[in-house]
Amino acid sequence: YAPKSDVVMVLLILLIACNVFTWFAQKNRWQKVADHVVQLALEGATLRDGGSDESVAIREKALEILAEQKQKEATNNAATAAAADDDGGKGKKGSAATRRGSSGSAKSP
């Protein structure tokens, strides 16, 4: 009499299945914790409001990054405005007649 399945193979498959389930369960648990910390940081919850040291630190770091991005954006906007002023206020290059003529809509004499 020969067994239809190998005991070692069945145990290996069960072990792998249990490890995969455990990994997904832990991932789900820590994802919930991370989502909760992010939510508290977004709301600006202090320690009195149910926030934690981590949520306060995350909010402070996020506000610093936001301030840096706004400063870079303001610098870029100022540089763009200065470059536009260097054009002498002419606006777009070329006149409307030139643009129409290049598209072929105007007839030549």
Side-chain angles (χ1 to χ4, degrees):
Y1 172 74
K4 294 184 179 183
S5 61
D6 189 14
V7 174
V8 174
M9 202 60 164
V10 170
L11 289 177
L12 184 64
I13 290 172
L14 287 174
L15 179 67
I16 291 171
C18 288
N19 284 333
V20 168
F21 173 76
T22 303
W23 183 81
F24 277 111
Q26 287 293 325
K27 180 181 179 283
N28 186 30
R29 177 181 174 206
W30 287 108
Q31 188 65 43
K32 285 182 180 179
V33 170
D35 290 343
H36 181 68
V37 169
V38 169
Q39 184 67 29
L40 290 174
L42 288 175
E43 293 174 354
T46 60
L47 295 174
R48 288 184 309 208
D49 300 329
S52 64
D53 292 331
E54 291 85 11
S55 65
V56 172
I58 289 172
R59 181 167 179 83
E60 289 174 0
K61 184 166 178 124
L63 290 175
E64 288 173 7
I65 292 171
L66 182 63
E68 289 174 7
Q69 286 178 350
K70 284 185 178 182
Q71 184 179 12
K72 286 179 184 177
E73 184 178 313
T75 304
N76 289 342
N77 288 343
T80 304
D85 288 342
D86 289 343
D87 289 343
K90 293 179 183 175
K92 295 182 180 178
K93 294 182 180 179
S95 65
T98 306
R99 285 193 302 269
R100 265 189 262 121
S102 66
S103 66
S105 62
K107 295 183 180 179
S108 300

